[in-house]
Amino acid sequence: MNSPTLKNQVSPEEWQLRVDLAAAYRLVALYGWSDLIFTHISARIPGPEHHFLINPYGLMFDEITASSLIRVDQGCNKLHDSPYPVNPAGFVIHSAIHEAREDAGCVLHTHTRAGVAVAAQRGGVLPISQQSTFVLASLAYHDYQGVAFRPEEKPSLQADLGDKNFLCLRNHGLLTVGHSIADAFLSMYVFEGACQIQVAAQAGGAELIAVNPAIVTGTAQAMKVQTGGMGGAFAWPALLRKLDRLDPGFRD
């Protein structure tokens, strides 16, 4: 999909955000977390305005480029010319979180098979893997209220999330909140991994071994040690190099 480049029409900061967000969409496709065109990743543009970047509705995630991403306001109204539509209904969840969380630089939402499977389990995420301990240290749940296109769902969504960075949307899917795109992506990588491991372990039919609750309590510090205090930024350059080897077109 050839979109006219916006590189010289936006600030360097916005351009870098566009490149990183396009990369996140490509990585979600690469790792098999996309649901055709029906989920979203949003990123807040730095500045006093509540402006965001979101995917052009109708493109597959592996087609998205830095220039094709659309700048929208809090109501998901397009703020520049684009041949592509946006999906206001799909932005309800994202706008609710960005509205309530000033620290939410990026919100990433998926409908993966493993994620929805765990979201449909009464026990939710179980403490049975190292990956799950990272999730459980900052996990919230939100009950299903139907397809999320009604603004009246926003208050309960905001209240349920609170200050957590992992949200299990019951019967629906997974969501992560990150200060940066890299943080949100790394969190989703861990969240999705925890769900895949759980479903696989349950399929084995044997009794599952739970992690000591005291270990979960100290997991936040363990994650900082694992990433050298850098969070998602520790792994992000390597992920960008991977994409560049496969197809650098996301940078266009």
Side-chain angles (χ1 to χ4, degrees), residues 33-46:
W33 306 341
S34 60
D35 183 14
L36 296 180
I37 60 172
F38 297 111
T39 58
H40 305 277
I41 315 170
S42 59
R44 182 174 176 180
I45 298 172

Side-chain angles (χ1 to χ4, degrees), residues 67-104:
S67 293
S68 68
L69 289 163
I70 300 176
R71 183 172 184 155
V72 298
D73 63 15
Q74 187 72 31
C76 205
N77 300 299
K78 289 197 290 187
L79 297 175
H80 63 88
D81 290 334
S82 170
Y84 306 109
V86 291
N87 181 18
F91 193 57
V92 167
I93 291 174
H94 295 255
S95 63
I97 294 170
H98 285 296
E99 180 182 296
R101 293 276 298 270
E102 283 292 325
D103 63 324

Side-chain angles (χ1 to χ4, degrees), residues 202-221:
Q202 291 170 324
E207 182 180 358
L208 303 180
I209 302 171
V211 173
N212 187 321
I215 294 175
V216 176
T217 304
T219 299
Q221 180 59 33

Side-chain angles (χ1 to χ4, degrees), residues 21 42 130:
L21 186 55
S42 59
Q130 179 168 272

